[in-house]
Amino acid sequence: MDYRKKTVVASVAGLTLEGMDIMFISFAMSMIISEFHIDMAAGGLISSITNIGMLAGGVIFGILADKFGRVKIFTYTILLFAIGTALTGLAQNIEQVYLFRFISGLGAGGEYGIGMALVAEAWPKNKQGRASSYVSVGAQYGVILAAVLSAMILPSWGWRGLFFVGLAPVIFAFIVRKKLDESPVWLASQKNKQVAQKQGKLKQLFATPRITLTTFALAIMATVQIAGYNGLMIWLPSMLQQSQGLSVSSSALWTISTAAGMIAGMLTFGQFIDRFGMKRSYGIFLVASAVAVFLYSYASGSAGLLIGGAIVGFFSNGMFAGYGALISKYYSVEIRSTATNTIFNFGRALGGLSPILVGYILQNANVTVAMGYLALLYCISLIAMVSLQKGKFKQEEMSHLTKAV
């Protein structure tokens, strides 16, 4: 296996394990609520604290990866979220659950951007889109893996046994450290003392007006991506049960159909990026997402709901596959991990609050208004995307980065 394929395999595996870790909470939530005698709001806080940990871990480990190396810090992040997950199974009260989930979030938040940076630096520009899409599908593999393990472990070993499985990534971390060499692009940057000195500086993301605008625009796009996904996947099954009278089993079938559409969308979007370019691909998918989400509120009948769900998933979450390549396109090697982790995990933290607003809309309005809100988000992301200027920062702007540090 050549180096390019190794970066994809390592990053896919890392994101799969991260996705598995995050989904464990969803499957174990009812048991945790029951054991610690907490209400649903306190249970929901578990995910919120995990997202906060992801944002903090994204910033911290992104900076460290730019400064000390991709592979070394990548393995540390995997170890951290593995340990945090296993410790969750030992929690004696809800406060300890919060603490250990924050630790898991630190590791998970750091892992994403570093893996994406490794892939971006290993693959040529005309193939970065598809490489990024291969990695992004790993999150869906994690969902499936979490579902299978939950079905096998929860009935016999309970929720604690499920989280003990979180130690498995420790083995993977050692394999990565042994088999995967450091990024040649990052190593080459270390020979340039001027570049090496400014690596991993968070303030570089705001060094000039143009760089600041780019950072904010990408953060808006990442926030919409997460907000749209969470709003759809958390509330749509309930929406359909209420508005269409679907049974729980039928809504589960809808979830599978939508997830299948998401995977197909990710793989297709990667090909779109390489063939049509970044901005044109995002423009097509953002417009299609806004239209598909809004029209879906008028869907009816089993076939219409399943096919429509797959189409919505195809466009709305297909774009997730491009963020690693998108952010890497606008930031050079010395701040690539910092930028990817900070921007995307900001989107995770803020976009993760979307289900609260969607729930409020559903309680006070109807499904059409809720879907209109989600469609509006994609329009906002489209405006942010249009504001992005082509290519990495010019040489004079990079000189500002040097002065900033």
Side-chain angles (χ1 to χ4, degrees):
M1 187 182 297
D2 63 22
Y3 183 74
R4 291 178 184 174
K5 292 180 180 178
K6 284 182 180 181
T7 63
V8 169
V9 170
S11 299
V12 168
L15 198 56
T16 297
L17 294 170
E18 177 189 328
M20 176 194 76
D21 168 88
I22 293 170
M23 284 303 297
F24 277 169
I25 282 292
S26 297
F27 291 107
M29 182 68 79
S30 60
M31 289 185 175
I32 293 174
I33 288 174
S34 176
E35 178 167 335
F36 293 126
H37 307 291
I38 58 176
D39 56 25
M40 294 183 69
L45 188 58
I46 298 174
S47 294
S48 298
I49 289 175
T50 304
N51 285 335
I52 294 172
M54 286 181 176
L55 176 56
V59 174
I60 294 168
F61 290 110
I63 291 172
L64 292 176
D66 282 330
K67 197 168 186 65
F68 299 110
R70 314 294 193 220
V71 175
K72 181 188 298 184
I73 304 302
F74 184 69
T75 56
Y76 292 160
T77 63
I78 294 171
L79 287 171
L80 190 60
F81 81 72
I83 292 170
T85 301
L87 287 174
T88 303
L90 297 174
Q92 298 302 304
N93 51 56
I94 191 60
E95 289 77 18
Q96 290 183 7
V97 172
Y98 293 152
L99 173 62
F100 297 143
R101 293 311 298 166
F102 179 80
I103 293 173
S104 296
L106 286 173
E111 179 275 330
Y112 172 80
I114 301 173
M116 285 299 187
L118 273 169
V119 172
E121 290 168 2
W123 288 74
K125 291 182 179 180
N126 64 339
K127 293 183 179 180
Q128 284 182 4
R130 69 195 72 180
S132 179
S133 70
Y134 299 151
V135 176
S136 299
V137 172
Q140 302 302 316
Y141 297 154
V143 172
I144 296 171
L145 184 58
V148 171
L149 290 172
S150 297
M152 294 171 57
I153 295 172
L154 285 176
S156 301
W157 300 94
W159 68 271
R160 295 181 184 278
L162 185 64
F163 284 100
F164 290 150
V165 176
L167 282 173
V170 172
I171 301 172
F172 169 68
F174 282 109
I175 294 174
V176 169
R177 192 64 177 273
K178 185 176 181 180
K179 300 292 185 180
L180 186 62
D181 295 327
E182 187 54 81
S183 163
V185 174
W186 182 85
L187 288 173
S189 73
Q190 299 306 291
K191 296 178 182 179
N192 185 333
K193 292 184 178 180
Q194 187 179 32
V195 171
Q197 286 175 353
K198 62 184 180 180
Q199 285 182 313
K201 303 288 186 178
L202 186 61
K203 60 184 178 182
Q204 292 175 248
L205 304 184
F206 311 97
T208 70
R210 183 191 171 205
I211 296 172
T212 300
L213 176 62
T214 298
T215 298
F216 277 116
L218 290 170
I220 289 170
M221 292 179 68
T223 299
V224 169
Q225 182 64 45
I226 301 301
Y229 176 83
N230 285 344
L232 288 169
M233 296 306 291
I234 290 177
W235 281 114
L236 258 185
S238 298
M239 291 184 201
L240 297 176
Q241 288 174 27
Q242 293 175 11
S243 64
Q244 302 292 332
L246 263 64
S247 64
V248 175
S249 59
S250 295
S251 63
L253 184 61
W254 171 88
T255 302
I256 295 171
S257 173
T258 304
M262 289 178 177
I263 293 174
M266 288 179 187
L267 296 175
T268 302
F269 190 70
Q271 299 290 332
F272 261 60
I273 289 175
D274 292 337
R275 178 167 294 188
F276 302 113
M278 196 73 70
K279 295 187 74 171
R280 186 176 299 176
S281 298
Y282 268 100
I284 293 170
F285 270 65
L286 283 168
V287 171
S289 295
V291 172
V293 166
F294 185 73
L295 291 180
Y296 193 57
S297 62
Y298 297 98
S300 61
S302 298
L305 292 172
L306 289 175
I307 295 173
I311 293 173
V312 168
F314 181 92
F315 287 110
S316 66
N317 210 51
M319 294 178 289
F320 178 79
Y323 280 93
L326 175 65
I327 299 173
S328 295
K329 173 185 174 68
Y330 287 96
Y331 298 92
S332 51
V333 60
E334 66 267 18
I335 53 170
R336 185 167 290 146
S337 286
T338 302
T340 305
N341 268 345
T342 300
I343 290 169
F344 199 78
N345 284 299
F346 174 84
R348 275 174 164 170
L350 187 58
L353 301 176
S354 179
I356 299 173
L357 182 54
V358 173
Y360 177 82
I361 294 173
L362 288 173
Q363 184 175 332
N364 294 278
N366 54 44
V367 173
T368 302
V369 176
M371 298 298 272
Y373 153 74
L374 293 173
L376 178 62
L377 288 181
Y378 292 115
C379 294
I380 293 172
S381 183
L382 178 64
I383 295 171
M385 185 276 295
V386 171
S387 75
L388 294 172
Q389 297 184 39
K390 187 176 181 181
K392 289 190 179 73
F393 306 124
K394 298 176 183 178
Q395 187 61 43
E396 59 266 27
E397 290 174 306
M398 294 309 295
S399 68
H400 280 286
L401 297 183
T402 306
K403 294 177 183 178
V405 296

